Amino acid sequence: MDWATISRLDVRPRIHSALQQSTYESLGQILQAPSLELQKRLKLSSLEVSELETAVCEVIYNVRSRRQTAAELQNLQRFLSTGDPACDALLSGGIPTRGITEIVGESSSGKTQLLLQLCCIAQLPTNKGGLGGGVAFLHTEGKFPIPRLTQLLTRYKDDFPPQFDPSAHVHYVNLVDTETLYHIVFYQLPIIIERQQIKLVIIDSIAALYRGEHFDQDTKGRLSQRKELCDISVQLRTLSEQYGIPIVCSNQVSDALLDNEATSILDAYEQWLPTVETDISDIELEPFVASLSKVPTLGFLWSNSINVRIRLARGHRTEELMKARRLMCVEFAPHAGKGCVEFEIYDLGLRAVSSTSETSDDVPSL
Amino acid sequence: MPSVFASVPIAATLRTQLASCGLRTAEAIKNLSAEQLSHQLQISYEEASELLQAVQAASTPKPRSALDSLSQQLQQSNISFSSNALDSLFGGAGIPTAKVIEICGCPGTGKTQIALQLSANVICNPEGDQPCRSIYIDTEGSFMAARLRDMLPTVSDLSTQDDNSPLDNLYYYRVCNHLELLALVKSLDQQLEDHNNVRLVVIDSIAFLMRMNLEDAGLRARLLTTIGQTLLRLARAHRLTVLLLNHINSKMASDDFLPALGDSWGHIVPNRLLLYEDKGRRYARLYKSSNLPDKTVPFRITSQGVRDTIPDQGHDQSLKRNYFTDDENSLPDVYEE
């Protein structure tokens, strides 16, 4: 082990020199090693080993400096607005600035539209619901929709200073395979976050790459892919924590394959009915149930890796109304209960639709 | 409660010397011989053996009758879930002290919410004039202080304190990788000696950092055992409750859940509580316990926290009738197996 690492340990010189001659390469190895192994390999007494273990714990996790109280944390919690008051109310304030938020839905349910809107709002100052910083956009599905982003930005042009060009602060990269995604998340993202004052990281979508690649791989290949996904989620959460920025990923859905179609639709009814048709929001579930019955991809491994899941659903087209109806639901979140809002996509972005007179009283229109 | 080591009569200078050698717990000193101790601390053999005797006398458990431990258990205040149904899983008054409990469930079934509610109930119920503390170890970043504040039970005698003070009694630690988690768990002993009256330790979640990202299955099993054993020991020694949140790995059939981390971990945790959702309603099932029957109860989560279900569910039923022509029998509120 190199001297720089060893000297950080607050132990007696004898232990320092024993470490210097040892084959241990990192403090992590020492922490994970059983005490008896340390005694043997470092030729130290049990007393010296316990001194060493205490010192290693202190360097790896300094309990005193890392401790926060709930009262302190209360003042640090911030949210990124979605750009619509009704959607923000649904999310109890917006997208939390710590952790991974997933936006999942069928194709053309409005995922990318919502993400592009977040690109605009993240750059607004904090008093307008933004985070006052740039955006890193990892794009995996075809071409990045620059014209649409420019169109959306016109809605907010009065909120920015005259010389400020918000589109200059959206840094995007098109990704084609999982290897590049892994490399960027681990090596380039931390640097760009620091240098370009990034306040929001978007991955659109996490599913496209992991679904598309390696159809014919064996068990070992699948395992390593799952490990990669675990690593990415740990790294994204660490970045979110370190810089206090939200990570927003979109995900696709697949048809529920386990049951036949009728059962999965029935299940979706039972699952969503208490959420959708409540005393407060009287949205009819029927048009959206087929969309809601679909299952987010990447399985439990990914579902367990995210903090918030926002579900977007698309209603089937009806004869008299050619416009697609869309629904935004909170499936789970640590700070918000389940609920849903109907929304529409118009030329300047995304806004809630007040379906009944009751909701329009609660929600001030834009 | 005061630690064993703090209660041993030792001279202050000797205590500092002990600390400088990394000997901060009675556990560490006990394992040494008098020769080793006298050599390490540069004190005479007699002094060392006296010290050893004092430490041993203080830390050897004295034989106790079952009646004694029963009466002590009855004195301990339990931690309530704020829901009578959930409390009834553990005998009616909530979680007894010195228990290690795992809560597992799919995302969104209420694991974090229950952990927050239990924390809120701990920090709001002082024992006498001593405030109770809670430690929250967060591996996922799901802790929301504002949500905790909403869940605080309204205490009538808050007038003497300002509103924030219960929140000061929750210590929050964010860990970002498995090494940090291991180091923190190993230093908890010291933490618990520094802060008395810690009644609850939550790890939210134990699974996230111990998944596929640890490729070496042997290493993972060993680390989990180390963490599990340490927590079991702390729960007994400091009479605190440990709450471990775990993921669900796969759902084989509709009612067959498989908690993450495998069988070796399943043997370590003495009590397991499974949370699941069925037809939009939440249920908790105690399916592993050393002394309590397997039982399933419903609960709900409101903006004020974890609560009992309202017996009258007529509104939901009438809505369902629009969609299902064959009227299903509603689930009984409590059914036992």
Side-chain angles (χ1 to χ4, degrees):
Chain A
M1 214 187 307
D2 60 299
W3 179 247
T5 320
I6 297 174
S7 59
R8 287 168 66 200
L9 294 172
D10 177 24
V11 288
R12 281 172 290 173
R14 189 176 131 64
I15 304 176
H16 277 151
S17 58
L19 282 175
Q20 230 175 342
Q21 286 153 21
S22 73
T23 50
Y24 287 112
E25 281 168 2
S26 68
L27 294 181
Q29 277 183 349
I30 296 176
L31 184 71
Q32 290 176 13
S35 307
L36 278 175
E37 185 195 303
L38 289 173
Q39 282 183 36
K40 260 192 209 157
R41 283 182 62 180
L42 295 172
K43 301 194 178 66
L44 294 172
S45 71
S46 65
L47 185 63
E48 287 163 330
V49 165
S50 74
E51 184 183 338
L52 171 64
E53 282 178 330
T54 314
V56 169
C57 283
E58 229 175 81
V59 171
I60 290 185
Y61 196 87
N62 191 323
V63 178
R64 274 172 205 84
S65 66
R66 297 283 289 269
R67 181 175 64 219
Q68 290 168 293
T69 67
E72 289 162 15
L73 283 168
Q74 210 186 328
N75 307 324
L76 297 175
Q77 183 60 56
R78 296 221 316 276
F79 294 100
L80 166 65
S81 166
T82 55
D84 182 272
C87 295
D88 284 348
L90 176 73
L91 280 159
S92 298
I95 288 166
T97 50
R98 12 172 23 194
I100 305 174
T101 298
E102 183 199 73
I103 293 164
V104 61
E106 263 189 300
S107 73
S108 86
S109 59
K111 299 189 295 290
T112 304
Q113 297 300 320
L114 177 56
L115 293 176
L116 289 174
Q117 183 147 316
L118 293 179
C119 273
C120 309
I121 294 159
Q123 301 187 53
L124 296 175
T126 40
N127 59 2
K128 284 174 179 154
L131 300 168
V135 182
F137 202 116
L138 312 186
H139 192 253
T140 66
E141 294 179 331
K143 203 165 163 283
F144 184 75
I146 296 169
R148 180 62 177 151
L149 179 67
T150 322
Q151 190 185 12
L152 293 184
L153 280 169
T154 55
R155 175 171 159 192
Y156 301 98
K157 63 175 187 292
D158 297 337
D159 294 319
F160 293 115
Q163 266 81 48
F164 184 84
D165 183 6
S167 56
H169 297 272
V170 178
H171 305 265
Y172 79 91
V173 59
N174 280 319
L175 299 173
V176 285
D177 56 23
T178 52
E179 211 183 318
T180 327
L181 175 70
Y182 189 88
H183 183 86
I184 286 186
V185 166
F186 270 82
Y187 304 106
Q188 298 188 342
L189 202 52
I191 298 170
I192 196 177
I193 289 174
E194 213 151 284
R195 289 200 189 145
Q196 307 287 345
Q197 306 277 308
I198 298 296
K199 291 286 179 197
L200 171 67
V201 174
I202 292 175
I203 302 180
D204 184 21
S205 69
I206 192 93
L209 298 179
Y210 281 98
R211 268 184 114 179
E213 253 179 57
H214 316 300
F215 273 118
D216 51 339
Q217 64 189 192
D218 53 352
T219 322
K220 198 166 165 254
R222 269 199 295 277
L223 273 180
S224 75
Q225 195 177 318
R226 287 167 68 85
K227 178 192 173 328
E228 215 172 280
L229 207 54
C230 273
D231 284 344
I232 285 185
S233 66
V234 172
Q235 167 74 358
L236 287 175
R237 273 185 171 163
T238 309
L239 289 175
S240 164
E241 187 62 32
Q242 206 175 342
Y243 298 100
I245 56 173
I247 313 281
V248 183
C249 298
S250 68
N251 193 1
Q252 304 171 348
V253 290
S254 62
D255 286 317
L257 290 172
L258 282 172
D259 311 300
N260 60 46
E261 200 189 340
T263 327
S264 67
I265 288 199
L266 209 65
D267 281 349
Y269 262 123
E270 288 176 337
Q271 191 195 341
W272 288 99
L273 197 63
T275 311
V276 177
E277 298 187 3
T278 61
D279 301 332
I280 313 154
S281 69
D282 194 24
I283 304 167
E284 212 188 343
L285 180 61
E286 206 277 325
F288 305 105
V289 74
S291 186
L292 285 171
S293 74
K294 294 186 178 176
V295 186
T297 61
L298 304 178
F300 272 93
L301 185 93
W302 178 252
S303 302
N304 283 327
S305 307
I306 53 178
N307 298 67
V308 179
R309 171 169 280 164
I310 298 170
R311 188 77 180 237
L312 301 185
R314 185 197 157 94
H316 54 67
R317 271 176 211 179
T318 47
E319 290 276 333
E320 61 270 31
L321 190 72
M322 282 309 286
K323 208 169 170 188
R325 292 177 70 192
R326 292 182 169 93
L327 199 64
M328 178 193 280
C329 308
V330 174
E331 193 162 327
F332 57 80
H335 65 298
K338 285 189 176 186
C340 64
V341 159
E342 190 172 342
F343 71 96
E344 64 175 358
I345 293 167
Y346 69 117
D347 53 353
L348 291 178
L350 187 144
R351 67 181 168 203
V353 186
S354 44
S355 56
T356 58
S357 55
E358 197 179 13
T359 43
S360 64
D361 288 341
D362 297 343
V363 181
S365 53
L366 277 170
Chain B
M1 64 174 279
S3 73
V4 174
F5 187 52
S7 66
V8 181
I10 314 175
T13 46
L14 195 54
R15 203 181 279 273
T16 349
Q17 247 177 312
L18 282 169
S20 72
C21 297
L23 293 168
R24 291 188 179 89
T25 56
E27 208 74 9
I29 300 173
K30 253 190 344 187
N31 295 332
L32 300 169
S33 69
E35 281 100 346
Q36 279 177 314
L37 208 55
S38 71
H39 174 71
Q40 286 293 335
L41 299 170
Q42 278 141 27
I43 54 174
S44 74
Y45 182 78
E46 284 72 29
E47 278 177 301
S49 55
E50 254 174 54
L51 170 66
L52 214 53
Q53 268 172 12
V55 171
Q56 250 153 10
S59 61
T60 319
K62 294 168 190 67
R64 289 196 308 172
S65 69
L67 182 67
D68 281 347
S69 41
L70 185 67
S71 64
Q72 195 187 3
Q73 259 182 32
L74 290 175
Q75 277 173 11
Q76 299 277 341
S77 54
N78 295 357
I79 306 172
S80 168
F81 285 96
S82 293
S83 148
N84 291 330
L86 285 170
D87 285 349
S88 76
L89 287 178
F90 292 92
I95 301 179
T97 39
K99 281 229 183 252
V100 176
I101 294 169
E102 180 200 84
I103 298 183
C104 50
C106 299
T109 48
K111 302 185 293 292
T112 302
Q113 303 296 317
I114 286 188
L116 288 174
Q117 182 68 63
L118 288 169
S119 306
N121 290 348
V122 165
I123 57 179
C124 272
N125 290 310
E127 275 178 346
D129 51 353
Q130 279 269 28
C132 286
R133 296 199 165 90
S134 173
I135 288 179
Y136 203 102
I137 299 171
D138 189 4
T139 66
E140 302 196 348
S142 282
F143 180 87
M144 296 275 164
R147 186 81 183 109
L148 178 74
R149 190 196 52 214
D150 293 345
M151 288 185 176
L152 293 177
T154 41
V155 187
S156 53
D157 56 348
L158 266 179
S159 50
T160 52
Q161 312 156 316
D162 61 320
D163 276 351
N164 270 348
S165 77
L167 293 181
D168 285 325
N169 293 326
L170 185 128
Y171 294 143
Y172 172 86
Y173 299 97
R174 178 77 166 96
V175 286
C176 290
N177 58 51
H178 68 280
L179 290 177
E180 289 189 351
L181 179 62
L182 187 64
L184 174 59
V185 168
K186 281 187 171 180
S187 5
L188 269 183
D189 241 329
Q190 185 63 41
Q191 281 298 294
L192 293 172
E193 297 199 356
D194 290 355
H195 309 290
N196 48 14
N197 240 14
V198 173
R199 299 296 307 279
L200 178 70
V201 173
V202 180
I203 301 187
D204 178 8
S205 67
I206 186 81
F208 179 63
L209 299 173
M210 294 280 174
R211 300 190 297 173
M212 312 269 298
N213 39 347
L214 281 178
E215 259 181 305
D216 182 353
L219 174 70
R220 177 170 49 174
R222 211 182 63 226
L223 296 185
L224 279 171
T225 315
T226 312
I227 291 177
Q229 299 291 2
T230 312
L231 293 171
L232 283 171
R233 185 171 56 74
L234 291 176
R236 263 197 314 274
H238 298 272
R239 303 209 60 76
L240 50 86
T241 299
V242 177
L243 198 65
L244 303 162
L245 308 190
N246 194 1
H247 295 157
I248 293 289
N249 254 0
S250 59
K251 203 162 79 172
M252 304 297 200
S254 57
D255 53 343
D256 186 11
F257 295 90
L258 192 69
L261 302 178
D263 271 345
S264 61
W265 174 253
H267 290 300
I268 296 172
V269 283
N271 304 285
R272 303 189 110 167
L273 193 67
L274 172 76
L275 306 183
Y276 64 94
E277 267 182 285
D278 189 29
K279 300 184 172 57
R281 296 174 73 184
R282 298 172 190 276
Y283 295 92
R285 177 179 164 203
L286 186 70
Y287 78 108
K288 180 190 170 184
S289 166
S290 46
N291 59 340
L292 293 159
D294 192 326
K295 192 175 170 188
T296 306
V297 295
F299 69 99
R300 67 196 171 98
I301 293 171
T302 67
S303 54
Q304 286 96 38
V306 179
R307 293 292 180 268
D308 276 320
T309 46
I310 309 163
D312 175 36
Q313 293 278 342
H315 178 65
D316 278 9
Q317 289 302 318
S318 69
L319 275 170
K320 256 181 202 163
R321 241 169 249 135
N322 298 335
Y323 297 101
F324 305 114
T325 43
D326 48 337
D327 203 345
E328 286 177 288
N329 290 328
S330 62
L331 278 166
D333 270 345
V334 179
Y335 52 90
E336 289 181 35
E337 289 175 14

